[in-house]
Amino acid sequence: SNTPMAPSAVGESIKKTSDAGSVGNSADYSTTNSRTLGVDEPEKVKTDGKYIYTARIENKAIYINKADDSLELLTKIMLPSEFNSAELFVQGNKLVVIAGKYFWNESFTNAWIDRSNKAIVIVYDITNIQKPVIDRYSQIDGYVSEVRLTGGQLTVMTSTNFNFPIHRYLPTVQGTNLQFDMQKLSTDFNTQVVLPRRIEFRSDKKTGDINTAIAKARSMKRLIDKDAVNCQSINYVLPDAATLKDYNFNPTFTTITKIDINNSLKATSTSM
């Protein structure tokens, strides 16, 4: 999956998006125009002055080219076909890919929370630029709303739609609503069915192929799958039946995930 290819269209794209005067000079090159000094933001094209990194989601790949007049393609990292909207960070010997993933499942129409969208973070070790290897992988329910990188600390804000399946508790017969089943609602509702979930693993740095890394982590039982946060101690009050019948009950969870990209052994932290 990391076999170099001719620059062709990738090179043309880089020429259009790079500052020609800065290419090849590691001491003088363009960086992302960030809103806050020292806080990096993701882009589809990044450079560290020596290499140019380009996310081309239509090709489901990340391209790494030399930042000189040759624009020689050194590495092509393939992404899973279901990934979308990939963007990048580059800091030191780390390449961070931020992406979304979507898949449809019939059960979502009867679920409390929409788990069809996933926010993906992959951290690659690019010490050997021609053989990037995976440091860590993180996936959380929801879609990416904001991402920032400060001093090696990646902060990802995701949003998850909360869905109230009213048809479960307000059955309809020939167009007429029956009595609202509040008792069933109180029994069904608990944090286990509504909380966003996350999965992650730390890699053994032997592969740059994400599908291989996920399969290996799962087979070795190193893939962590759990709720994004522990909300067992949180109390909640459901709206009454009249409110639920007359209004849409569709709030949104916002989850903040923090990842140390320079320390693959440090646990990911999440809050809501």
Side-chain angles (χ1 to χ4, degrees):
S1 60
N2 294 328
T3 304
M5 299 169 58
S8 60
V10 179
E12 292 303 315
S13 174
I14 292 171
K15 288 178 181 178
K16 292 176 182 178
T17 56
S18 300
D19 177 4
S22 65
V23 171
N25 185 350
S26 60
D28 180 19
Y29 59 91
S30 299
T31 58
T32 300
N33 291 324
S34 57
R35 283 171 279 189
T36 305
L37 185 64
V39 180
D40 197 8
E41 300 178 24
E43 295 286 354
K44 292 189 178 300
V45 179
K46 288 283 192 180
T47 183
D48 55 11
K50 189 174 182 180
Y51 305 107
I52 298 173
Y53 308 80
T54 310
R56 292 177 62 86
I57 201 60
E58 67 274 20
N59 294 340
K60 303 296 182 183
I62 308 299
Y63 295 85
I64 305 177
N65 295 68
K66 282 186 177 180
D68 58 20
D69 291 338
S70 73
L71 291 177
E72 178 187 352
L73 181 60
L74 301 174
T75 308
K76 178 183 177 183
I77 304 172
M78 296 303 300
L79 299 176
S81 60
E82 65 269 25
F83 280 23
N84 58 68
S85 305
E87 291 189 309
L88 309 172
F89 288 100
V90 178
Q91 189 174 95
N93 66 336
K94 304 296 181 183
L95 169 66
V96 182
V97 177
I98 310 293
K101 183 171 76 170
Y102 175 84
F103 62 98
W104 170 253
N105 188 309
E106 293 273 341
S107 64
F108 293 150
T109 59
N110 294 315
W112 283 91
I113 186 172
D114 180 5
R115 302 187 191 277
S116 55
N117 289 289
K118 310 290 184 183
I120 308 296
V121 177
I122 313 172
V123 181
Y124 290 90
D125 185 322
I126 52 173
T127 301
N128 183 341
I129 199 67
Q130 293 184 300
K131 290 186 178 181
V133 289
I134 296 169
D135 247 359
R136 64 193 303 165
Y137 173 92
S138 182
Q139 171 183 302
I140 189 168
D141 287 338
Y143 54 89
V144 177
S145 54
E146 294 287 348
V147 192
R148 298 292 184 270
L149 179 63
T150 308
Q153 301 299 312
L154 184 72
T155 302
V156 183
M157 183 179 292
T158 53
S159 297
T160 314
N161 294 325
F162 182 100
N163 174 51
F164 173 53
I166 191 170
H167 56 277
R168 285 189 188 179
Y169 311 102
L170 188 63
T172 301
V173 175
Q174 295 181 348
T176 301
N177 290 334
L178 302 182
Q179 183 176 359
F180 195 95
D181 193 342
M182 198 68 185
Q183 183 175 354
K184 177 175 172 55
L185 171 61
S186 298
T187 301
D188 286 356
F189 187 87
N190 62 75
T191 56
Q192 298 304 310
V193 299
V194 301
L195 286 178
R197 293 189 64 82
R198 66 182 173 92
I199 67 173
E200 65 172 333
F201 65 86
R202 285 81 160 179
S203 175
D204 58 8
K205 294 188 178 182
K206 290 184 179 179
T207 180
D209 179 74
I210 189 60
N211 288 322
T212 300
I214 291 174
K216 185 173 182 180
R218 183 175 287 114
S219 67
M220 297 183 68
K221 304 187 184 307
R222 290 193 291 106
L223 192 147
I224 301 169
D225 185 350
K226 62 181 181 180
D227 291 334
V229 292
N230 182 4
C231 293
Q232 299 302 314
S233 61
I234 293 179
N235 294 319
Y236 54 82
V237 177
L238 290 172
D240 60 25
T243 300
L244 291 172
K245 286 168 59 176
D246 295 336
Y247 298 92
N248 289 328
F249 183 40
N250 297 306
T252 299
F253 287 120
T254 296
T255 306
I256 299 174
T257 303
K258 291 185 176 292
I259 300 173
D260 187 337
I261 68 169
N262 294 316
N263 184 355
S264 62
L265 299 178
K266 186 175 181 179
T268 298
S269 64
T270 51
S271 60
M272 294 178 63

